[in-house]
Amino acid sequence: MIMKNVRLFMLNLPEVSKLLAGRLKSAFMLIVFVLTCLEIQAQLRSAVVSPEILPDNKVVFRLYAPEATNVSVNGEWMQMGEISELARNDTGLWSVTIGPLKPEFYGYSLYVNGVQVLDPANSQIKRDGTRNASVLLVPGKESELYAVNDVPHGTVSKVWYDSPTLGLNRRMYVYTPPGYETSTQSYPVFYLLHGGGGDEDAWTTLGRANYILDNLIAQGKARPMIVVMTNGNPGQTAAPGHRPPMSAQQGAAGGMGNMMFEESLVKDVIPYIESQYRVLTGKANRAVSGLSMGGLQTMNLTFNYPGTFDYIGVMSMGMTDMSNMGIQTDPNRDQKIEALKNAGYKLYWIACGVDDFLYESVITLRNKLDEHDFNYVYRESTGGHTWPNWRIYLSEFAPQLFK
Amino acid sequence: MIMKNVRLFMLNLPEVSKLLAGRLKSAFMLIVFVLTCLEIQAQLRSAVVSPEILPDNKVVFRLYAPEATNVSVNGEWMQMGEISELARNDTGLWSVTIGPLKPEFYGYSLYVNGVQVLDPANSQIKRDGTRNASVLLVPGKESELYAVNDVPHGTVSKVWYDSPTLGLNRRMYVYTPPGYETSTQSYPVFYLLHGGGGDEDAWTTLGRANYILDNLIAQGKARPMIVVMTNGNPGQTAAPGHRPPMSAQQGAAGGMGNMMFEESLVKDVIPYIESQYRVLTGKANRAVSGLSMGGLQTMNLTFNYPGTFDYIGVMSMGMTDMSNMGIQTDPNRDQKIEALKNAGYKLYWIACGVDDFLYESVITLRNKLDEHDFNYVYRESTGGHTWPNWRIYLSEFAPQLFK
């Protein structure tokens, strides 16, 4: 009984056809039948449009769920604990209109009798570590910077490289700017690091880094550059679904704070990129930035390897006591800050939102740098520890690079 | 009330932290708190393991849904209309053990009170056109050919190119084999086409073409080659979520059967690939294959552009009257078959499953080719119009290329 309605949505065509093949002898009739089924399927699916963005940026969510007794929606435009209940009509279609929403790239989920689910009418999904969410891009001025615009697009490549430091063959994403393939020019390189729970996919899927760069380059705001997005978890080869069977080495390298990832970036990733791609070398042509865990790694990389990067961006991360996590504060931190100061750099950029749970740690970082008369630029934004902020930070940091 | 249980699973950390920031004055305490929350979240998520593959290849599906009254699972290992009901325990955890399953890469969905949903405990998803499904790879001999093995991996690049024929800037996926970046060698090119409803992502996500090639090349079964996976819908720039705002041209090129995609492949894609990549040219170094709609396009491409490809693979598609879809049978088809015969080719490979709804059309195709004493190899498999078959066909066709 319960399955009756949903069955319409999941006609398994090959199987239907197999069952009917004996009866519909003519291949022509069979094809007409199958195409009719496909059309019906498509119409049924398209009958439920969700989400629908109205001209005033109000948004309608819909779910066909005649057997459900409670349906609600939760999205990144909401405060914690907030939900919007959908209302059922007499056909079993649930809907709610919310907003208007500010132009932004939002994740959201539906709840069906308490179970968090993706919106089945929406094919677009973003994965954040092990969690998926349906996505909604409300167009407008604020989201224009990461929209897929009608501008030249760079190439995003999924590249496997050997990391002797970690004992793994690993995957990274490499963005090459529009024109890379046809030019003979060499490009500067920006190493862009994700946060805890993320992987090499995060900056393109959640951060839309490739489209941000496309747009900045098209507007003449950023120099064409190569952007390298690694997997910052030293025990991982690649994102879920793209990992070879666990080998003896895997997992041995542990998590953040043991400096293994940082060492592998300097010893394995940079040499790989500089030998495989047409790039400019030396610190004047290298930038590094990361958010949260990637911000910690950015500090580690730049304090421990002074003279490697001229452009440094720490997003949503500062200095704090992490001894409870087994991460000891470097006893030589003061000397290392001096070493970076002496080695020289062109930009040390720190960005944080006033609502970020790490806001206090950023004050500690700034105080520590001030003690050393260490030159940095501080950018304080509204909001917290979120991708909307990191997308904005990227769009502000990238234009300052290699100039 | 209903939301109470699921709330535990969706603690919004930045927001929690914001609320508590006023109370927990010390950044240290705050970080400890947040990390504790992260740990709890991770434990709660990992508490529900689904799917769990048991040593005998039985599979356990689980869903935590205390408020649901009916939960079932449907997957590609089942016959049409079949479901397995999950049973609820007294904590609200639903589960069922099924199988043992044959090693294969399966899609599946859960049903919660009649609503088709992805498995929230499983981060791995495959998108087929506008539909998503959770995925399950049961390891074993049969699925070994497309597993991510510990072998050298090629690079998969998302490349944008101009198609003057279609008036669009479009996206395609290009697989370059392991060693491409470091060698000075030139490679042959295999153009691999998806079916109706698919796009440029289909052959890597559903077909796992890159891992199949990696494995075949590592075993010495296939020559290192470049594989080009285009978007076969002439009105589309790219997959959903990667399309610029609809331009005047878009959609004008319509669907299959109007030969626009085929023309664009020959006039736009091949010249682009041959100018941008280190490739061998001429028909001896070009292969083309496609499934279903892509099989029709393969026939169109090879009958209309004889002398372009030496290796031709038609999967799950034959010749049939499609006039009801507005696709007229080419009145010059006989002459074109003769033209291809005269131009010469090395392999014309046709593959179809006995349960395929297009099986009859493949008989028609073979009869037509037989009329012309046209040389081809016919591979008949079990099964129907499905990705398990297309993955196998790719693994059998690729080793025959460029030898």
Side-chain angles (χ1 to χ4, degrees):
Chain A
M1 267 296 282
I2 281 170
M3 303 308 294
K4 202 190 291 174
N5 284 304
V6 297
R7 281 292 148 196
L8 277 173
F9 290 87
M10 44 170 297
L11 282 172
N12 182 330
L13 286 175
E15 293 294 336
V16 176
S17 318
K18 191 169 77 178
L19 292 173
L20 289 173
R23 293 169 210 176
L24 297 173
K25 284 292 176 202
S26 137
F28 168 65
M29 279 306 294
L30 189 55
I31 286 174
V32 169
F33 167 74
V34 167
L35 292 169
T36 307
C37 288
L38 278 171
E39 185 60 25
I40 292 168
Q41 275 194 319
Q43 284 177 11
L44 281 171
R45 271 203 305 277
S46 67
V48 178
V49 176
S50 181
E52 181 186 4
I53 302 171
L54 304 177
D56 61 355
N57 284 356
K58 287 188 177 176
V59 179
V60 188
F61 295 93
R62 296 187 182 91
L63 181 75
Y64 181 67
E67 309 289 338
T69 55
N70 184 287
V71 179
S72 60
V73 60
N74 171 274
E76 290 172 357
W77 58 87
M78 289 176 174
Q79 295 300 309
M80 186 206 172
E82 203 184 329
I83 55 162
S84 298
E85 300 271 355
L86 280 72
R88 187 191 194 283
N89 75 6
D90 53 14
T91 68
L93 182 71
W94 297 72
S95 67
V96 67
T97 303
I98 57 125
L101 295 184
K102 198 184 87 175
E104 183 55 83
F105 182 68
Y106 298 104
Y108 71 96
S109 296
L110 300 176
Y111 291 82
V112 177
N113 282 32
V115 180
Q116 184 175 7
V117 302
L118 300 185
D119 184 345
N122 183 356
S123 68
Q124 290 177 56
I125 288 176
K126 62 175 189 179
R127 182 181 56 82
D128 190 1
T130 57
R131 279 169 300 177
N132 292 292
S134 294
V135 296
L136 164 66
L137 199 159
V138 178
K141 188 174 167 293
E142 294 92 332
S143 58
E144 189 63 14
L145 75 95
Y146 46 81
V148 184
N149 292 315
D150 196 8
V151 299
H153 299 294
T155 297
V156 176
S157 298
K158 302 178 185 183
V159 176
W160 293 77
Y161 68 101
D162 274 323
S163 172
T165 303
L166 300 175
L168 294 173
N169 188 252
R170 310 184 80 223
R171 194 171 78 157
M172 62 182 159
Y173 284 18
V174 179
Y175 169 89
T176 46
Y180 175 85
E181 290 84 354
T182 44
S183 92
T184 53
Q185 198 189 324
S186 291
Y187 297 81
V189 185
F190 177 17
Y191 297 86
L192 184 56
L193 314 179
H194 62 79
D199 53 51
E200 72 275 21
D201 187 66
W203 262 112
T204 51
T205 297
L206 300 159
R208 299 178 72 87
N210 52 323
Y211 295 123
I212 291 175
L213 266 292
D214 287 348
N215 291 333
L216 293 173
I217 292 168
Q219 293 162 15
K221 289 183 181 167
R223 261 187 73 176
M225 62 183 84
I226 290 173
V227 183
V228 175
M229 293 159 278
T230 51
N231 183 316
N233 309 293
Q236 277 183 14
T237 53
H242 298 276
R243 296 172 192 159
M246 191 71 94
S247 70
Q249 296 95 333
Q250 246 177 305
M256 69 172 164
N258 69 0
M259 290 293 294
M260 292 289 283
F261 167 73
E262 291 84 338
E263 187 180 333
S264 78
L265 190 119
V266 172
K267 293 191 179 163
D268 305 334
V269 177
I270 294 179
Y272 180 89
I273 293 294
E274 297 189 350
S275 68
Q276 302 296 313
Y277 290 83
R278 231 170 36 250
V279 300
L280 299 165
T281 57
K283 74 188 178 86
N285 299 300
R286 292 193 206 108
V288 62
S289 180
L291 65 96
S292 197
M293 178 180 85
L296 178 68
Q297 291 169 334
T298 298
M299 286 189 277
N300 289 339
L301 275 163
T302 53
F303 290 135
N304 285 282
Y305 300 93
T308 308
F309 304 95
D310 254 358
Y311 302 88
I312 301 158
V314 178
M315 304 178 182
S316 299
M317 178 53 87
M319 280 182 177
T320 188
D321 181 346
M322 298 201 278
S323 52
N324 266 32
M325 297 169 65
I327 302 175
Q328 300 305 324
T329 300
D330 188 339
N332 302 315
R333 177 129 285 184
D334 289 288
Q335 293 95 303
K336 288 181 176 176
I337 292 172
E338 287 296 324
L340 177 54
K341 196 173 142 184
N342 294 332
Y345 56 90
K346 291 196 178 147
L347 174 66
Y348 201 103
W349 196 75
I350 301 167
C352 192
V354 290
D355 298 329
D356 197 309
F357 72 94
L358 293 174
Y359 185 80
E360 293 284 330
S361 76
V362 174
I363 294 177
T364 307
L365 167 64
R366 289 161 54 207
N367 288 342
K368 172 59 76 180
L369 296 180
D370 288 341
E371 278 176 29
H372 290 272
D373 288 323
F374 185 99
N375 217 350
Y376 62 86
V377 175
Y378 176 54
R379 153 70 160 116
E380 186 168 286
S381 72
T382 57
H385 205 75
T386 64
W387 278 102
N389 266 348
W390 302 323
R391 287 188 288 265
I392 291 170
Y393 298 162
L394 173 60
S395 75
E396 294 179 354
F397 183 62
Q400 303 179 62
L401 305 181
F402 315 121
K403 296 219 159 153
Chain B
M1 266 301 280
I2 282 168
M3 303 309 293
K4 203 189 293 171
N5 285 305
V6 298
R7 282 292 149 196
L8 276 173
F9 288 87
M10 45 171 296
L11 282 172
N12 183 329
L13 286 175
E15 293 294 336
V16 176
S17 319
K18 191 169 77 178
L19 292 173
L20 290 174
R23 292 170 209 176
L24 298 173
K25 285 289 176 201
S26 135
F28 168 65
M29 281 305 296
L30 191 55
I31 288 175
V32 169
F33 168 75
V34 167
L35 293 169
T36 307
C37 288
L38 279 170
E39 186 59 27
I40 293 169
Q41 274 193 321
Q43 284 177 10
L44 281 170
R45 272 203 305 276
S46 67
V48 178
V49 176
S50 181
E52 181 186 5
I53 303 171
L54 303 177
D56 60 355
N57 283 358
K58 287 189 178 177
V59 179
V60 188
F61 295 94
R62 296 187 182 92
L63 181 75
Y64 181 67
E67 309 288 339
T69 55
N70 184 288
V71 180
S72 61
V73 60
N74 171 274
E76 290 171 359
W77 58 87
M78 290 177 175
Q79 296 300 309
M80 187 206 169
E82 202 184 328
I83 55 162
S84 298
E85 300 272 355
L86 279 73
R88 186 191 194 283
N89 75 6
D90 53 13
T91 69
L93 182 72
W94 298 73
S95 67
V96 67
T97 303
I98 57 127
L101 295 184
K102 197 184 88 174
E104 182 56 83
F105 182 67
Y106 298 104
Y108 72 95
S109 296
L110 301 176
Y111 290 83
V112 177
N113 283 33
V115 180
Q116 184 175 6
V117 302
L118 301 185
D119 184 343
N122 183 357
S123 67
Q124 290 177 57
I125 288 177
K126 62 175 188 180
R127 182 180 57 82
D128 190 2
T130 57
R131 278 169 299 177
N132 292 292
S134 294
V135 297
L136 164 67
L137 200 160
V138 179
K141 189 171 166 296
E142 295 92 331
S143 59
E144 189 63 14
L145 75 95
Y146 45 81
V148 184
N149 292 314
D150 197 8
V151 299
H153 299 295
T155 297
V156 175
S157 298
K158 303 179 184 182
V159 177
W160 293 77
Y161 68 101
D162 273 323
S163 171
T165 303
L166 300 175
L168 293 173
N169 188 252
R170 310 184 79 224
R171 195 173 77 156
M172 62 182 160
Y173 285 17
V174 179
Y175 169 88
T176 46
Y180 175 85
E181 289 85 353
T182 44
S183 91
T184 53
Q185 198 188 325
S186 290
Y187 296 82
V189 185
F190 177 16
Y191 297 85
L192 184 57
L193 314 178
H194 62 80
D199 53 52
E200 73 275 20
D201 187 65
W203 262 111
T204 50
T205 296
L206 299 158
R208 299 178 72 88
N210 52 321
Y211 296 122
I212 290 175
L213 266 291
D214 286 347
N215 291 332
L216 293 173
I217 292 169
Q219 294 161 14
K221 290 182 180 166
R223 259 187 74 177
M225 62 183 83
I226 290 173
V227 183
V228 175
M229 293 159 278
T230 51
N231 183 316
N233 309 293
Q236 276 182 15
T237 53
H242 298 276
R243 296 172 191 156
M246 193 68 97
S247 69
Q249 297 96 333
Q250 248 178 304
M256 71 173 163
N258 69 359
M259 289 293 293
M260 291 289 282
F261 167 73
E262 292 84 337
E263 188 180 334
S264 78
L265 190 119
V266 172
K267 293 191 178 164
D268 306 333
V269 177
I270 294 179
Y272 180 89
I273 293 293
E274 297 189 350
S275 69
Q276 302 296 313
Y277 291 84
R278 231 168 38 246
V279 300
L280 299 165
T281 58
K283 75 188 177 86
N285 299 300
R286 292 193 206 108
V288 63
S289 180
L291 65 96
S292 197
M293 177 179 86
L296 179 68
Q297 292 168 335
T298 298
M299 288 189 276
N300 289 339
L301 275 163
T302 53
F303 290 137
N304 286 281
Y305 300 93
T308 307
F309 304 94
D310 254 358
Y311 302 88
I312 300 158
V314 179
M315 304 179 181
S316 299
M317 179 52 87
M319 278 181 179
T320 188
D321 181 346
M322 297 202 277
S323 53
N324 266 32
M325 297 170 64
I327 302 175
Q328 300 305 324
T329 301
D330 188 338
N332 302 315
R333 177 130 286 185
D334 289 289
Q335 294 94 303
K336 289 181 175 176
I337 292 173
E338 288 296 323
L340 177 54
K341 197 172 141 183
N342 293 332
Y345 57 90
K346 291 195 177 148
L347 174 65
Y348 200 103
W349 196 76
I350 301 167
C352 193
V354 292
D355 298 329
D356 197 308
F357 71 95
L358 292 174
Y359 185 80
E360 292 284 329
S361 76
V362 175
I363 294 177
T364 308
L365 166 64
R366 289 160 55 206
N367 289 341
K368 172 59 74 180
L369 297 180
D370 288 341
E371 278 176 29
H372 290 273
D373 289 322
F374 184 100
N375 216 351
Y376 63 86
V377 175
Y378 176 53
R379 153 69 158 117
E380 186 167 285
S381 71
T382 57
H385 205 75
T386 62
W387 277 104
N389 266 347
W390 302 322
R391 287 188 288 264
I392 291 169
Y393 298 162
L394 173 60
S395 76
E396 294 179 355
F397 183 62
Q400 303 180 63
L401 305 181
F402 316 121
K403 297 220 158 149

